[in-house]
């Protein structure tokens, strides 16, 4: 019983980290149809910036998160302007793969050049580092914080996409960008804004998830596949899909690692193959 | 002049010699050059040839059939493990070991191809990655067969043709690998010009149209995957034979991703591109990563970005186009 409980808490926390990072990628892939393998690299930049802000500049956790999100958006803006604009929508998967793998390699090399090859920790504030008493059990506060963050982001994104002017324009651009453009929606601006949103979410996820996915130079390569898998399992562009896929895969991975650690990621990828086989467009995705 | 498949045809075959002969001659000349000019680096050159098989294999499915895959190293690794185990079990004849590797790779290719080619686009890519990761996780777990993270060692093959034993300078290993590469390359050059290969190109260009003219698309892709698996398996077996060890890195994701980079560097959809890409990338890596592996990643990243922007069809294509513009063989069409 105790094992089951801790598996569930860990699985949900891990799933929420996956969700927070992957939802940005999912939105980007739903809208711009870019298989952005560099998304993990942006999460990594966020982690590095937060770590630097706390450890070298003595900033508080909240400030560090702000620095990470804003800094990553600023760093990625020229990349969007110079590179990503070429591969929105029309270009084939192979070109996108190569360009974004290239960007990933470049960021890894630069991150290492600037911050060094060691593992970077992001110290938690006292409020988040202890256990939390929920009446009948003690929970690690950080896990609860991560789960709450994931929930808030899911609701906020849902509101943004379904209830705001921006969301209407964005969905119009997704459904038919040519028509949206002829109606006077500036799709290019929408694309840039969405890119910034996606990158910012990635950076935020990278910071709050650093306990579970530690920040190191190969972060971008190591977890890139996982984020891509979450999006593909959930269905690109779907919040509900990304959420359920993250939780499902988090559960598969955590359970596998608890019960049969020597199998590594075997069960995770077995689950992936089964789900993609049964739902080629993702759990909640639409056929394009 | 062949106008049916203009999208990926490179104007290199229009000459008086059969392309197979040119291929064998080129590899022989380059091999001899490598043998005599860099006698200190034969181990590196041998490894380079092994990886070239992987890139050729990837070219067959990605370049000729348009299947995006990032799990090709699984085929290579299984070929290597199969040959390694056969060798430890007592089958030490090198050519037989190549056969074992090819068979292992072909079986895996058919199996994974049957799964991967059912899809298109992102699902296909993710299934290919998942398959590769599955094989990698299994190779880590089944340490009785693969040696786990320590790797499989103790592979001591018998002398080639019972006369040329594998020496510590790697001379036999290099010549053996180069000869096998020349033979396989010539066979593949023939294969991609066969009706089967041409139809695969047709499928890549427009699979709906291929279906409409009565081609059974799915079985062809699976068979192509099997052939690609055999090629990758030979590469894996060669690596196992010549180095005496098989590590987990042979099945890893990085290996698959690197192969993809090499292929696109050289130019997909062209067997020459696969070999050129494999050679250039690895020589470049060999030189740069000797200083610092992270500078290497920065440079490769930059290189990839530049290629996508300036030479999206690979440098071998760009080079042949430049060549045919400089020295036009026939009046401009």
């Amino acid at each position: 019983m105790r094992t089951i409980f801790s598996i569930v808490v860990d699985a949900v926390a891990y799933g929420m980290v996956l969700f927070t990072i992957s939802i940005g990628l999912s939105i980007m892939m739903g809208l711009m149809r870019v298989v952005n393998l560099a998304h993990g690299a942006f999460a990594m930049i966020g982690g590095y910036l937060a770590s630097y802000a706390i450890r070298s500049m003595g900033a508080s956790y909240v400030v560090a998160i702000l620095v990470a999100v804003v800094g990553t958006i600023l760093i990625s803006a020229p990349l969007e302007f110079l590179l990503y604009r070429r591969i929105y929508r029309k270009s084939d998967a192979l070109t996108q793969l190569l360009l974004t793998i290239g960007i990933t390699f470049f960021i890894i090399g630069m991150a290492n050049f600037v911050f060094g090859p060691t593992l970077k920790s992001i110290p938690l504030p006292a409020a988040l580092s202890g256990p939390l008493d929920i009446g009948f059990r003690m929970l690690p506060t950080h896990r609860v914080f991560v789960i709450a963050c994931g929930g808030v982001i899911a609701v906020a994104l849902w509101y943004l996409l379904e209830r705001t002017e921006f969301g209407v324009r964005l969905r119009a651009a997704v459904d038919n960008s040519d028509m949206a453009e002829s109606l006077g929606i500036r799709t290019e601006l929408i694309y840039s804004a969405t890119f910034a949103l996606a990158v910012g979410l990635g950076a935020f996820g990278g910071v709050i998830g650093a306990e579970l996915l530690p920040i190191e130079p190969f972060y971008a390569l190591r977890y890139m596949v996982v984020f891509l898998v979450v999006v593909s399992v959930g269905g690109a562009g779907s919040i509900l899909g990304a959420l359920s896929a993250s939780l499902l895969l988090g559960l598969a991975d955590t359970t596998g690692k608890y019960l049969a650690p020597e199998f590594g990621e075997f069960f995770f990828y077995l689950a992936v193959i089964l789900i993609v086989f049964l739902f080629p467009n993702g759990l909640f995705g639409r056929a394009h | 002049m062949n106008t049916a498949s203009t999208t990926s045809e490179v104007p290199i075959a229009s000459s008086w010699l059969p392309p197979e002969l040119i291929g064998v001659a080129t590899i022989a000349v380059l091999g001899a050059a490598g043998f005599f000019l860099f006698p200190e680096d034969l181990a590196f050159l041998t490894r380079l040839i092994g990886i070239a098989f992987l890139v050729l294999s990837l070219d067959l499915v990605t370049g000729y059939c348009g299947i995006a895959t990032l799990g090709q190293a699984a085929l290579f690794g299984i070929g290597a493990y199969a040959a390694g185990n056969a060798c430890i079990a007592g089958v030490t004849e090198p050519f037989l070991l190549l056969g074992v590797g090819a068979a292992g790779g072909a079986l895996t290719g058919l199996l994974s191809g049957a799964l991967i080619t059912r899809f298109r686009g992102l699902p296909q890519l993710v299934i290919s990655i998942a398959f590769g990761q599955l094989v990698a996780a299994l190779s880590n777990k089944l340490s009785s067969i693969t040696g786990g993270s320590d790797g499989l060692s103790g592979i001591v093959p018998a002398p080639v043709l019972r006369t040329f034993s594998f020496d510590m300078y790697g001379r036999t290993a290099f010549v053996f690998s180069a000869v096998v590469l020349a033979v396989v390359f010539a066979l593949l050059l023939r294969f991609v010009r066969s009706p089967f290969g041409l139809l695969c190109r047709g499928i890549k260009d427009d699979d709906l149209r291929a279906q409409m003219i009565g081609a059974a698309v799915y079985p062809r892709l699976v068979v192509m995957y099997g052939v690609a698996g055999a090629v990758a398996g030979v590469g894996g077996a060669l690596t196992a034979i010549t180095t005496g060890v098989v590590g987990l890195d042979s099945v890893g994701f990085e290996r698959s991703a690197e192969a993809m980079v090499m292929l696109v560097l050289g130019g997909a959809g062209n067997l020459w591109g696969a070999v050129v890409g494999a050679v250039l990338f690895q020589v470049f890596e060999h030189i740069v990563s000797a200083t610092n592996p992270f500078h290497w990643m920065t440079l490769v990243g930059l290189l990839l970005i530049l290629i996508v922007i300036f030479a999206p069809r690979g440098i071998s294509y760009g080079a042949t186009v430049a060549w045919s513009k400089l020295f036009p063989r026939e009046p401009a069409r």
Side-chain angles (χ1 to χ4, degrees):
Chain A
M1 192 60 209
R2 164 151 283 166
T3 324
I4 294 177
F5 189 73
S6 46
I7 288 180
V8 169
V9 172
D10 276 0
V12 174
Y14 183 54
M16 282 303 189
V17 169
L18 289 186
F19 170 74
T20 314
I21 301 179
S22 311
I23 186 63
L25 178 60
S26 179
I27 294 174
M28 242 186 105
M29 266 161 72
L31 177 61
M32 290 92 128
R33 312 250 196 294
V34 176
V35 184
N36 183 16
L37 295 184
H39 192 73
F42 294 127
M44 180 178 85
I45 294 180
Y48 269 116
L49 289 179
S51 168
Y52 182 78
I54 292 184
R55 299 199 325 168
S56 303
M57 288 156 46
S60 72
Y61 195 67
V62 179
V63 174
I65 288 181
L66 279 177
V67 168
V69 172
V70 175
T72 310
I73 292 177
L74 289 180
I75 291 175
S76 67
L79 292 178
E80 196 265 352
F81 192 69
L82 290 173
L83 301 174
Y84 278 93
R85 281 202 183 173
R86 298 165 177 271
I87 58 168
Y88 287 161
R89 284 193 164 263
K90 43 192 177 284
S91 66
D92 62 318
L94 203 61
T95 315
Q96 300 180 344
L97 279 187
L98 289 165
L99 187 66
T100 51
I101 285 190
I103 293 172
T104 310
F105 281 176
F106 184 73
I107 290 177
I108 289 178
M110 291 313 282
N112 183 69
F113 179 70
V114 177
F115 294 106
T118 53
L119 200 140
K120 293 282 181 284
S121 67
I122 301 178
L124 291 173
L128 287 181
S129 49
L132 182 73
D133 195 351
I134 54 163
F136 61 103
R137 279 261 155 59
M138 305 292 270
L139 286 180
T141 314
H142 175 255
R143 299 279 195 276
V144 179
F145 171 70
V146 167
I147 293 171
C149 282
V152 169
I153 284 178
V155 174
L157 273 179
W158 172 82
Y159 186 82
L160 178 73
L161 296 185
E162 300 291 329
R163 289 284 182 272
T164 62
E165 179 76 24
F166 176 74
V168 172
R169 283 162 190 268
L170 197 149
R171 279 182 290 138
V174 173
D175 286 340
N176 190 337
S177 68
D178 294 337
M179 180 56 83
E181 204 152 298
S182 1
L183 289 174
I185 296 176
R186 296 181 62 185
T187 47
E188 202 150 85
L189 253 171
I190 298 255
Y191 282 4
S192 301
T194 313
F195 183 86
L197 177 72
V199 166
L201 282 170
F204 179 69
V207 178
I208 64 164
E211 297 281 302
L212 294 155
L213 310 176
I215 300 295
E216 36 104 17
F218 282 106
Y219 183 97
L221 268 183
R222 186 158 294 161
Y223 306 114
M224 155 177 112
V225 169
V226 179
F227 304 142
L228 191 65
V229 160
V230 168
V231 173
S232 150
V233 164
S238 156
I239 300 178
L240 190 61
L243 189 61
S244 40
S246 306
L247 293 176
L248 204 64
L249 293 173
L251 193 66
D253 193 48
T254 313
T255 317
K257 281 191 173 140
Y258 262 93
L259 302 181
E262 69 274 28
F263 272 96
E265 291 165 327
F266 182 79
F267 292 106
F268 182 83
Y269 286 107
L270 196 64
V272 169
I273 289 186
L274 280 177
I275 298 173
V276 176
F277 192 76
L278 294 174
F279 307 92
N281 290 311
L283 293 172
F284 293 91
R286 293 175 299 171
H288 287 303
Chain B
M1 203 55 206
N2 186 354
T3 51
S5 56
T6 43
T7 54
S8 37
E9 192 82 41
V10 170
I12 201 169
S14 56
S15 103
W16 26 267
L17 274 175
E20 291 84 358
L21 206 64
I22 302 180
V24 170
T26 312
I27 292 179
V29 170
L30 286 180
F35 188 85
F36 291 111
L37 294 181
F38 305 101
E40 306 291 318
D41 289 324
L42 287 184
F44 162 69
L45 293 176
T46 310
R47 205 170 62 236
L48 188 156
I49 293 177
I51 302 293
F53 281 90
L54 175 63
V55 184
L56 280 172
S57 157
L58 186 64
D59 198 10
L60 288 180
V61 292
T62 301
Y64 284 87
C65 301
I67 300 168
T69 159
L70 280 172
Q72 200 74 2
L75 311 177
F76 180 87
I78 287 188
Y81 280 126
N85 276 301
C87 188
I88 291 172
V91 184
T92 53
E93 161 59 37
F95 287 107
L96 216 55
L97 287 177
L98 289 185
V100 171
L107 270 179
T108 322
L110 289 174
L111 198 75
S112 65
L115 193 68
I116 294 169
T117 57
R118 289 185 54 121
F119 302 97
R120 280 251 167 237
L122 182 64
Q124 183 177 57
L125 184 71
V126 168
I127 286 234
S128 78
I129 293 175
F131 183 83
Q133 300 291 82
L134 214 59
V135 170
L138 273 185
S139 338
N140 191 19
K141 162 67 184 155
L142 302 174
S143 48
S144 55
I145 309 176
T146 64
S149 51
D150 296 334
L152 190 67
S153 56
I155 302 166
V156 187
V160 181
L161 301 172
R162 301 210 182 134
T163 25
F164 306 102
S165 58
F166 289 95
D167 53 42
M168 62 178 290
Y169 305 105
R171 289 190 197 123
T172 311
F174 177 72
V175 175
F176 179 60
S177 303
V179 169
V180 175
L181 178 66
V183 171
V184 170
F185 190 67
L187 287 175
L188 285 181
L189 280 175
R190 183 75 202 84
F191 174 67
V192 296
R193 286 191 303 142
S194 70
F196 184 95
L198 291 177
L199 193 57
C200 281
R201 273 196 177 181
I203 293 173
K204 179 199 173 188
D205 289 345
D206 190 340
D207 60 339
L208 187 64
R209 187 184 281 183
Q211 235 159 24
M212 290 301 144
I213 60 169
V217 169
Y218 177 63
R220 277 205 165 67
L221 293 181
V222 175
V223 169
M224 193 61 152
Y225 236 101
V227 175
V231 175
V234 168
L238 257 185
T239 313
I241 294 171
T242 52
T243 57
V245 285
V246 186
L248 277 182
D249 60 318
S250 346
V251 288
F253 176 79
E254 278 81 5
R255 179 68 55 93
S256 299
E258 273 189 357
M260 178 65 90
V261 174
M262 292 182 216
L263 176 60
V264 174
L265 176 68
N270 174 9
L271 294 174
W272 288 99
V275 176
V276 169
V279 172
L280 282 183
F281 182 91
Q282 290 181 82
V283 168
F284 185 59
E285 175 182 32
H286 191 63
I287 298 168
V288 180
S289 68
T291 51
N292 181 333
F294 287 101
H295 293 330
W296 153 238
M297 296 199 80
T298 318
L299 280 178
V300 168
L302 213 56
L303 187 71
L304 267 178
I305 296 171
L306 292 178
I307 287 176
V308 172
I309 295 175
F310 294 112
R313 298 180 64 180
I315 40 184
S316 72
Y317 182 82
T320 37
V321 167
W323 181 265
S324 59
K325 275 191 182 146
L326 281 175
F327 306 98
R329 223 177 256 285
E330 51 192 301
R333 274 169 288 169

